[in-house]
């Protein structure tokens, strides 16, 4: 069965600092991978996704993520964090080949200090 | 166009009451998903529709949970005889087809007292 681990429950950074949120997955083949962001009281918004091809994926709001098969990781990065980035971030993995049910990690809460 | 909408946004129910949660997907989206998100957790899959057909309900936690999408558009998640453990945010998502890129609604926060 597929699974996702987000080892950091909370991350605190200063505004303007760089950010890396960790995501490790377990799946037997090449997965589909996603990062979502959830602001308080809001639904999830897709930041970026990896299906195949280039392992460095660019997303919205200046985020990027790199798929590393050897490490079973899909870490999310941003070079300079803005206060508005404070939110909950979820990594998700879905099986490839037509199945549709993603498995979400428990989330990482990002706190941004001014 | 408009995004996924859900109503009500907040619902308080006394234990034992029945509740109905509504989801309006993006127009033209074939696939519709329901998730349950407990406090401090990621969303967990409940059920999936393609048009009006419920193709997967493996995530529904008990037979008190029922979902329908009779005309292939609006969907309703019904919970009968609510229990305290049903307290969660219920998220609806739709997609153009079943191949991911899901668009989420704001969720309904259900509190069972």
């Amino acid at each position: 069965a597929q699974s996702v681990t987000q080892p950091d429950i909370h991350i605190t950074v200063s505004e303007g600092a760089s950010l890396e949120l960790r995501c490790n997955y377990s799946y037997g083949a090449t997965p589909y991978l996603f990062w979502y962001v959830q602001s308080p009281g809001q639904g999830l918004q897709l930041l970026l996704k990896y299906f195949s091809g280039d392992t460095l994926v660019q997303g919205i709001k200046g985020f990027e993520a790199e798929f590393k098969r050897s490490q079973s990781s899909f870490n999310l990065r941003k070079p300079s964090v803005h206060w508005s980035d404070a939110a909950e971030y979820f990594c998700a993995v879905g099986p490839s080949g037509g199945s549709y049910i993603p498995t979400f990690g428990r989330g990482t809460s990002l706190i941004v200090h001014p | 166009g408009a995004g996924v909408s859900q109503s009500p946004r907040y619902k308080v129910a006394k234990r034992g009451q029945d509740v109905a949660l509504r989801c309006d997907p993006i127009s033209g989206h074939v696939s519709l998903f329901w998730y349950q998100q407990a406090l401090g957790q990621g969303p967990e899959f409940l059920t999936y529709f393609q048009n009006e057909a419920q193709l997967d309900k493996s995530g529904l936690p008990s037979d008190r949970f029922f979902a329908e999408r009779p005309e292939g558009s609006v969907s309703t998640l019904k919970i009968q005889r609510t229990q305290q453990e049903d307290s969660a945010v219920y998220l609806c998502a739709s997609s153009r087809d079943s191949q991911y890129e899901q668009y989420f609604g704001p969720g309904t926060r259900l509190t069972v007292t």
Side-chain angles (χ1 to χ4, degrees):
Chain A
Q2 63 203 37
S3 66
V4 176
T5 301
Q6 292 181 249
D8 303 305
I9 297 176
H10 303 283
I11 289 280
T12 301
V13 299
S14 297
E15 191 169 17
S18 63
L19 170 71
E20 183 168 30
L21 301 183
R22 295 184 291 166
C23 172
N24 293 96
Y25 68 90
S26 174
Y27 183 67
T30 301
Y32 291 178
L33 294 161
F34 308 83
W35 275 100
Y36 286 87
V37 61
Q38 186 178 35
S39 297
Q42 302 297 315
L44 279 68
Q45 181 184 21
L46 181 67
L47 287 174
L48 47 77
K49 61 182 184 285
Y50 171 79
F51 282 2
S52 65
D54 193 347
T55 56
L56 184 62
V57 180
Q58 302 297 319
I60 62 171
K61 305 184 179 186
F63 286 92
E64 67 177 26
E66 186 170 11
F67 170 55
K68 292 186 177 180
R69 183 190 305 273
S70 61
Q71 299 176 19
S72 297
S73 70
F74 189 58
N75 294 349
L76 182 71
R77 301 193 294 248
K78 186 170 185 178
S80 178
V81 170
H82 188 263
W83 64 267
S84 61
D85 293 325
E88 193 83 16
Y89 290 82
F90 294 95
C91 180
V93 61
S96 57
S99 185
Y100 43 77
I101 302 172
T103 298
F104 288 82
R106 64 174 296 165
T108 297
S109 178
L110 175 63
I111 301 163
V112 180
H113 281 315
Chain B
V4 178
S5 61
Q6 293 186 245
S7 61
R9 291 292 312 276
Y10 304 91
K11 177 68 178 179
V12 178
K14 292 187 177 179
R15 190 173 58 182
Q17 283 185 332
D18 298 348
V19 299
L21 313 180
R22 176 187 170 106
C23 172
D24 284 85
I26 293 173
S27 178
H29 277 194
V30 168
S31 300
L32 186 145
F33 302 77
W34 283 98
Y35 295 87
Q36 181 188 59
Q37 186 177 21
L39 189 64
Q41 301 295 318
E44 293 199 359
F45 170 79
L46 292 177
T47 187
Y48 160 65
F49 290 86
Q50 186 162 332
N51 296 307
E52 68 277 5
Q54 189 175 20
L55 298 188
D56 191 327
K57 55 182 181 179
S58 61
L60 296 176
S62 79
D63 58 7
R64 296 185 295 103
F65 286 70
F66 172 76
E68 60 183 5
R69 195 186 184 197
E71 297 179 358
S73 178
V74 171
S75 177
T76 304
L77 176 67
K78 298 179 179 178
I79 308 173
Q80 297 176 325
R81 304 181 304 281
T82 52
Q83 303 295 315
Q84 281 195 312
E85 61 263 29
D86 301 334
S87 296
V89 175
Y90 290 85
L91 295 168
C92 175
S94 71
S95 64
R96 194 179 306 276
D97 56 39
S98 64
Q99 297 301 305
Y100 305 104
E101 190 119 25
Q102 298 181 18
Y103 295 84
F104 282 80
T108 294
R109 181 177 296 278
L110 172 65
T111 303
V112 181
T113 61

